[in-house]
Amino acid sequence: LGDVYKRQGWDREICLGSETQLDGSASGDSTATYTFNWTPNNGIIGSAQVEDPIVGPSSTTTYYLNATSSYGCESAADSVLVTLIPTPIADAGISPFICKGDSIQLMAAFNYTTTSPAPVNEVYFAWTPVVNINDTTLLQPTVWPDSSMVYYLEVRHRTCTTYDSVLVTVGPEVAAVATADTTVICGSDSVQLHSTGSIGTSFQWSPDATLSNPTSEHPMAWPSTTTTYYLVVEEGTCTDSSSVTVEVLPQPESAFDNSTPNGCAPLTVSFSELATNGTFYTWNFGDGSPVSNLPRVEHVFEQPGSYNVSLTTVAPGGCADTDNHLTVVVGENTIAEFSSNPPFPIEMSLPNTEVNFLDLSKGANSWVWDFGDGIVSQEINPIHSYTCLLYTSPSPRDLSTSRMPSSA
């Protein structure tokens, strides 16, 4: 039957994941037909008993071909070497989440599975799209997309190229803006703070010692000294911060002293300020008279009545405080006057004769009668008996007045 000759074709190189078709043949007897058998089966796609199989091995492999004629004659084995070029496998990394306006470095990598590694300087990278990325040829570039975006990584060594992709999810923009109703207050005042930025579901203000609710969007603040309040706004994992400074001006403490709180009209009262942190003063005497801006003042209350006196003290910067603790009471003048029965001048012929005294005073609330004979009385309308024939007429005095009219 003659010898059987086979031809397996030439050796070749392919990339991992690629395919190539082997080229087998047999000859020796023109009248015969031939069957083929390729070994090993590793990477053979389809049947190993075809003349020209397609192979895609996962590692460098030597394939052997045996041919058999229809007369049963078998050839010696021949071989072909399929070499795998070092093929780096692209890994674009874990899909990250960022907040709008932020940037992130893509943590890409590459590795080898069943091929030998290539020299590092022979491996090249390319990213697409070229939008908001600092360098498309870096393995781990920095990106800052405005919205969620898929970036594609190409890793190449010689003719071998692999691909991978990573989704960068962009969360909503969080822009914290801290404001206050006013940024200048007096020491005893409060002010409302506000978060006026974009969206946010969580708010944190600090320092919180002088805040009504540090997690509120609009807390009340009552700082005693100039204070900077810091705000952190969160929406999911996205955060932003801001601050606002509230300046606290010096707060005065108004106080005063006076010479007397009551007396008869016209009543003169001296007032002296005892305030702290004061530079300007306003006295209001409560009687409709013009105010005074002197630190020490003397005022005359002309009419009877009760008058609320106040001192308003203003500190540098305009902060004010008012002390209105004093009420000045001005009484009416008392006029002592009386009559008697028998009427003046009284002449009595007998001792122990009674005389009726009738009070005619105005504005009196207590009485002291002096009958001139060493006897006194505190009755309003006393009756008195004289034991001698001649006495000086009595002299009434009103205890509520300093005026002492002469005796009648």
Side-chain angles (χ1 to χ4, degrees), residues 341-342 346 348 350-357 383-386:
N341 184 22
I346 302 173
M348 295 180 294
L350 296 175
N352 298 320
T353 302
E354 291 184 345
V355 179
N356 295 318
F357 294 97
I383 300 174
H384 186 65
S385 297
Y386 288 94

Side-chain angles (χ1 to χ4, degrees), residues 132-279:
N132 295 340
I133 184 170
N134 67 331
D135 191 337
T136 59
T137 65
L138 294 177
L139 176 61
Q140 298 180 338
T142 298
V143 298
W144 56 93
D146 293 326
S147 59
S148 297
M149 182 174 293
V150 176
Y151 286 92
Y152 297 90
L153 170 63
E154 173 188 321
V155 179
R156 177 174 54 85
H157 171 244
R158 291 172 55 184
T159 59
C160 300
T161 303
T162 58
Y163 301 89
D164 196 17
S165 63
V166 61
L167 170 64
V168 179
T169 302
V170 179
E173 181 178 15
V174 177
V177 179
T179 62
D181 286 344
T182 178
T183 57
V184 180
I185 65 171
C186 296
S188 60
D189 293 343
S190 61
V191 63
Q192 189 163 27
L193 308 180
H194 302 280
S195 173
T196 59
S198 63
I199 62 173
T201 56
S202 174
F203 307 90
Q204 185 64 56
W205 294 86
S206 62
D208 58 6
T210 55
L211 294 176
S212 60
N213 184 353
T215 61
S216 169
E217 193 173 357
H218 309 287
M220 294 297 298
W222 51 88
S224 58
T225 59
T226 297
T227 302
T228 297
Y229 291 98
Y230 297 91
L231 168 65
V232 176
V233 179
E234 295 183 358
E235 176 66 27
T237 59
C238 298
T239 64
D240 194 27
S241 60
S242 181
S243 64
V244 61
T245 298
V246 178
E247 180 183 1
V248 180
L249 299 177
Q251 177 67 28
E253 202 173 310
S254 192
F256 65 90
D257 195 7
N258 57 284
S259 59
T260 182
N262 54 65
C264 299
L267 177 63
T268 300
V269 182
S270 298
F271 299 95
S272 299
E273 65 85 13
L274 302 175
T276 56
N277 292 332
T279 57

Side-chain angles (χ1 to χ4, degrees), residues 14 21 54 65 75 242 249 256 265 291 295 297 347 364 367 392 403:
I14 66 172
Q21 188 170 24
I54 296 175
L65 171 62
S75 70
S242 181
L249 299 177
F256 65 90
V291 298
V297 64
E347 293 184 0
W367 298 259
T392 304
R403 298 179 61 187

